Amino acid sequence: MDKITLKGIEFFAYHGVLQSEKELGQSFSADCELYLDISLCNDDLSKTVNYADVACEITSFCRENRYDLLETLADNLAKDILLNYSLVKELVLTIHKPHAPIPTGFDDVSLTVKRGWHTCYLATGSNLGDREKNLDTVWSEIEKNPYIMGICKSDYIETEPYGVKDQPDFLNGAIKVRTILTPRELLKFCNDTEMLCGRVRTRRWGERTLDVDILMYDSEVIFTDDLKIPHPEMHKRAFVLQPLAQIEPYLIHPVRKINVTELLDQLNKGE
């Protein structure tokens, strides 16, 4: 992608933990790298990003909002830019606080965040209560969230329980979204949506009002105690692959390097 760079955008604002910072304010500055495709702009400003507008957006946002932490300021500002400038696919934003209240000599304090739009796939399942309504809740919560754009969703399929058989049959589906949420923010969205439908975790592979799992986040591979992407069991589960193949049959699994249709065929053949 191509890059537009803005450096040293100055503004006076009231961000900080100390009461004096909240009352007196201080000078800050920001650097911003905007990543987009300008190959077809053809000297037309409407087909690129007006960097003067972006600079004004940065100063206005930082003056009109107040936060204790640079972390919160940078995160919210980055999301604001991505929402307001649709051609920007990714950005790197640095906030400088050269007059921070630090009791030693120093040149600068800064915080840098990298944010962008990501294509993600979610698996949904329910076998308690109004199963269809529970699955519909996921799409309705996506529509309410300004940081997630619902692209498409599969039909719902009825499947037998996986792992633990003494429970009702499931309805399962898949959803494709674009989001500026980080993987952990997206995980929180999934967990919060489950809780909205009264999810209670009992036994592994047990019954639930709603299950929302992140299947893929772009082509990233994440393996931590609390988050694993791609979903480590997706290639073993027909009830995941079947609805996913309906909406994205040629989606390539980032680890196995074959598409979901082939994974489903292998699973059905017992390979």
Side-chain angles (χ1 to χ4, degrees), residues 33 59 85 135 145 150 156 159 174 189 195 203 212 216 221 249:
E33 297 177 354
T59 56
Y85 298 90
L135 297 192
N145 194 307
Y156 300 149
T159 64
F189 167 82
M195 294 298 293
R203 50 184 177 167
V212 187
M216 288 177 53
V221 177

Side-chain angles (χ1 to χ4, degrees), residues 99-220:
H99 305 294
I102 298 175
T104 62
F106 71 99
D107 291 329
D108 187 23
V109 173
S110 67
L111 178 88
T112 300
V113 297
K114 181 179 180 179
R115 298 289 185 268
W117 284 102
H118 305 276
T119 300
C120 306
Y121 299 87
L122 307 177
T124 60
S126 173
N127 74 335
L128 292 179
D130 188 334
R131 300 177 303 169
E132 185 170 344
K133 181 180 179 181
N134 292 337
L135 297 192
D136 288 343
T137 297
V138 184
W139 188 261
S140 65
E141 289 302 301
I142 287 170
E143 291 183 322
K144 293 176 187 176
N145 194 307
Y147 303 134
I148 309 176
M149 181 188 305
I151 304 299
C152 61
K153 59 179 179 176
S154 71
D155 296 331
Y156 300 149
I157 61 170
E158 186 151 4
T159 64
E160 294 181 355
Y162 179 90
V164 177
K165 300 299 184 181
D166 60 331
Q167 58 178 312
D169 288 348
F170 278 82
L171 276 188
N172 291 100
I175 298 175
K176 177 182 180 180
V177 302
R178 290 185 72 239
T179 184
I180 57 179
L181 297 180
T182 65
R184 281 188 169 75
E185 287 176 321
L186 185 59
L187 176 64
K188 183 178 185 302
F189 167 82
C190 293
N191 291 339
D192 288 348
T193 305
E194 291 176 346
M195 294 298 293
L196 188 64
C197 286
R199 168 75 184 266
V200 177
R201 297 181 185 275
T202 54
R203 50 184 177 167
R204 186 187 185 195
W205 294 331
E207 49 277 288
R208 70 286 308 269
T209 53
L210 180 64
D211 192 25
V212 187
D213 289 324
I214 304 172
L215 297 178
M216 288 177 53
Y217 186 96
D218 291 334
S219 294
E220 288 196 26

Side-chain angles (χ1 to χ4, degrees), residues 55-110:
C56 291
E57 178 70 21
I58 290 172
T59 56
S60 295
F61 184 94
C62 294
R63 289 169 179 165
E64 293 169 6
N65 295 278
R66 298 189 181 197
Y67 302 105
D68 286 353
L69 301 178
L70 287 183
E71 289 87 340
T72 309
L73 170 61
D75 182 59
N76 287 348
L77 175 57
K79 289 172 179 172
D80 176 78
I81 294 170
L82 288 167
L83 290 178
N84 283 289
Y85 298 90
S86 60
L87 293 178
V88 177
K89 307 306 179 188
E90 185 176 281
L91 64 81
V92 177
L93 175 69
T94 300
I95 304 293
H96 298 270
K97 189 176 182 179
H99 305 294
I102 298 175
T104 62
F106 71 99
D107 291 329
D108 187 23
V109 173
S110 67

